[in-house]
Amino acid sequence: MIRTDHQIERLGHHGDGIAAGPVFAPLSLPGETVSGVLDGDRLKDMRVLTSSEDRVKAPCTHFKSCGGCGLQHASDEFVAAWKVDVVRQALAAVGLETAFRPIKTSPVRSRRRAVISARRTKKGAMAGFHMRASSVIAEISDCDVLHPDLMPALEIARELAVLGASRKGELSVTATLSDGGLDIAVSGGKPLDGAFEAQLGQEAQRLKVARLTWDGEVIAILVPPVQRFSRARVVPPPGAFLQATREGEAALVTAAQEIVGDAKSVVDLFAGCGTFSLPMAETAEVHAIEGEAAMMKTLDRGWREAQGLKRVSVETRDLFRNPLMAEDLRCEAAVIDPPRAGAQAQTVELARSDLARIAFVSCNPVTFARDAKVLVDAGYRLDWVQVVDQFRWSSHVELVGAFTR
Ligand SMILES: C[S@@+](CC[C@H](N)C(=O)[O-])C[C@H]1O[C@@H](n2cnc3c(N)ncnc32)[C@H](O)[C@@H]1O
């Protein structure tokens, strides 16, 4: 096995160091010289020969094995600057530039949702996150990312694996913090039958979860797993999208509210369960559109049960295939928060509309830049971008862009 030396030039979008070639060197940083054995274009058995000033000792003891975090070896300042730069470069690639507000990074131990992997073992069961680029589970005892109230979900995942993982299969346990306690949705488990369902019902009580869902079937709701959006309380469908941290959600909503300003009517596109719609309804009438009917039902109910909000109407609609046409965008402002694929078709309609303000929330700088270019070409200004980091120590980047005309 021949070792070769490489000079790391930059980080790729997944957080790997990249040297000339390109050669990908996981857990390395720009400016470092590393050596290792080439396996295709990846460097294995890597050693850092000269280390970057941005390198720090990883705060978590599980960092080497657990694939949950990818950037604990870099200082907070480096990660913050890198995330802003990822967005800046994505915009530059389509010929755009703008002002950047200081990044808002969620605190350590603030994540309110996690997808935990669990499986049976000879001795019982194990739970944790997959090792880096591997299907093997790294069992963890502590985590600097998860909110302390979410930590019991690891033990719950283990217990559920003992009961309901097939011999070789792996459970995927989505655990979400709610006002009622832990909201647990399991997939990949043993098929349900009457006896197993009854057993799971008892287990839900013993584990004191708020709700237990098994492969899409709600087994038990012991306490409603309520989420609060402004003054409204909603019970999202099991596993429904939710911003990853309370702090991240607050940063995104605050930025969107600033962009929307005093608009009296707002359309919320890709609205989910109402993260933006319900706070916006404090001051504006909102029309919320989302592809999942169950989420729209949740949002509608949350609004009806809340006191003092302005009117919120809901519409279930596939915004990829059937975007809201420019002629129907008869409001003063829009919030749009599409999935990673972005909102190509809907953006074309926004570009044709008379809307004065658009708050564009995105979890993918590349599709954001693509869609931003369509808006700018149609006469919108991209006034500023706020990067929000709710996925501390990962390569994930989120942002809000302020478009006006
Ligand atoms: C990034 S989430 C944002 C949800 C919400 N704005 C929030 O912050 O909680 C994207 C949302 O788009 C919805 N979605 C995905 N594809 C869609 C489509 N083709 N049409 C409409 N909604 C879609 C998802 O169900 C999800 O709720």
Side-chain angles (χ1 to χ4, degrees):
M1 294 217 289
I2 303 164
R3 294 189 75 81
T4 47
D5 295 355
H6 303 268
Q7 180 80 31
I8 304 303
E9 293 169 352
R10 60 193 165 91
L11 286 197
H13 280 184
H14 298 296
D16 286 344
I18 303 181
V23 169
F24 295 88
L27 306 188
S28 64
L29 293 173
E32 292 188 326
T33 309
V34 299
S35 83
V37 179
L38 266 176
D39 179 4
D41 57 5
R42 290 188 79 74
L43 211 56
K44 295 269 161 78
D45 191 19
M46 195 193 76
R47 285 177 215 150
V48 178
L49 302 178
T50 52
S51 99
S52 158
E53 284 182 358
D54 296 310
R55 181 170 284 275
V56 295
K57 185 173 179 310
C60 176
T61 49
H62 298 294
F63 180 58
K64 279 236 164 84
S65 56
C66 175
C69 290
L71 287 167
Q72 284 203 0
H73 59 298
S75 68
D76 286 354
E77 297 73 26
F78 174 87
V79 176
W82 177 69
K83 291 199 176 192
V84 170
D85 208 48
V86 166
V87 182
R88 201 190 310 275
Q89 284 189 26
L91 288 172
V94 296
L96 299 182
E97 53 182 40
T98 189
F100 279 82
R101 295 189 161 187
I103 187 170
K104 293 210 166 137
T105 303
S106 295
V108 170
R109 295 180 191 255
S110 63
R111 190 82 63 83
R112 64 175 165 185
R113 151 168 296 192
V115 182
I116 297 164
S117 300
R119 66 175 173 80
R120 279 165 61 184
T121 61
K122 281 196 183 124
K123 288 188 190 155
M126 67 188 298
F129 299 110
H130 283 163
M131 292 182 169
R132 216 158 273 120
S134 163
S135 58
V136 178
I137 298 172
E139 189 158 38
I140 56 169
S141 54
D142 193 17
C143 179
D144 277 344
V145 168
L146 303 190
H147 190 287
D149 295 344
L150 195 56
M151 288 302 292
L154 284 163
E155 181 53 29
I156 289 172
R158 261 188 289 271
E159 306 246 0
L160 289 172
V162 172
L163 197 69
S166 58
R167 210 160 175 67
K168 292 205 172 135
E170 187 181 297
L171 291 190
S172 175
V173 180
T174 301
T176 308
L177 270 183
S178 77
D179 280 7
L182 287 174
D183 186 8
I184 303 286
V186 179
S187 62
K190 284 197 315 207
L192 284 173
D193 59 28
F196 184 39
E197 228 170 279
Q199 208 180 358
L200 283 173
Q202 285 173 359
E203 193 67 357
Q205 292 198 21
R206 191 181 72 77
L207 295 170
K208 295 192 172 63
V209 300
R211 172 169 63 181
L212 177 62
T213 308
W214 196 268
D215 278 330
E217 291 291 328
V218 176
I219 303 294
I221 301 179
L222 302 172
V223 187
V226 168
Q227 301 293 340
R228 272 169 291 133
F229 298 127
S230 152
R231 69 180 78 188
R233 292 157 54 85
V234 303
V235 177
F241 180 90
L242 194 67
Q243 299 294 342
T245 67
R246 276 211 168 282
E247 294 79 359
E249 178 183 298
L252 295 171
V253 170
T254 301
Q257 278 174 324
E258 182 185 333
I259 296 160
V260 162
D262 59 2
K264 291 284 165 268
S265 55
V266 175
V267 63
D268 182 9
L269 301 157
F270 303 91
C273 295
T275 301
F276 296 99
S277 298
L278 292 163
M280 297 271 170
E282 294 284 345
T283 54
E285 291 202 351
V286 179
H287 185 53
I289 308 182
E290 153 67 44
E292 294 284 333
M295 289 170 118
M296 286 290 83
K297 211 169 147 193
T298 293
L299 200 169
D300 184 52
R301 187 164 172 190
W303 171 69
R304 283 175 195 283
E305 289 175 357
Q307 303 285 316
L309 291 179
K310 301 224 179 288
R311 189 178 141 71
V312 177
S313 50
V314 299
E315 181 180 348
T316 304
R317 182 177 184 132
D318 183 334
L319 292 169
F320 286 178
R321 294 176 186 203
N322 187 18
L324 193 64
M325 304 305 277
E327 297 71 23
D328 297 323
L329 282 161
R330 283 186 293 265
C331 47
E332 292 174 33
V335 179
I336 180 165
D337 181 15
R340 289 188 65 75
Q344 210 161 12
Q346 186 58 66
T347 305
V348 169
E349 295 307 319
L350 287 172
R352 291 204 305 117
S353 77
D354 296 325
L355 282 174
R357 308 167 212 175
I358 302 171
F360 203 125
V361 184
S362 169
C363 55
N364 183 342
V366 173
T367 55
F368 169 73
R370 178 200 67 198
D371 295 343
K373 172 88 174 129
V374 173
L375 293 177
V376 169
D377 285 350
Y380 280 95
R381 270 187 322 272
L382 175 52
D383 296 325
W384 47 265
V385 162
Q386 165 80 71
V387 178
V388 174
D389 186 7
Q390 349 183 35
F391 293 90
R392 204 173 230 279
W393 294 314
S394 85
S395 57
H396 203 81
V397 180
E398 298 199 61
L399 64 103
V400 186
F403 293 90
T404 53
R405 72 167 162 198

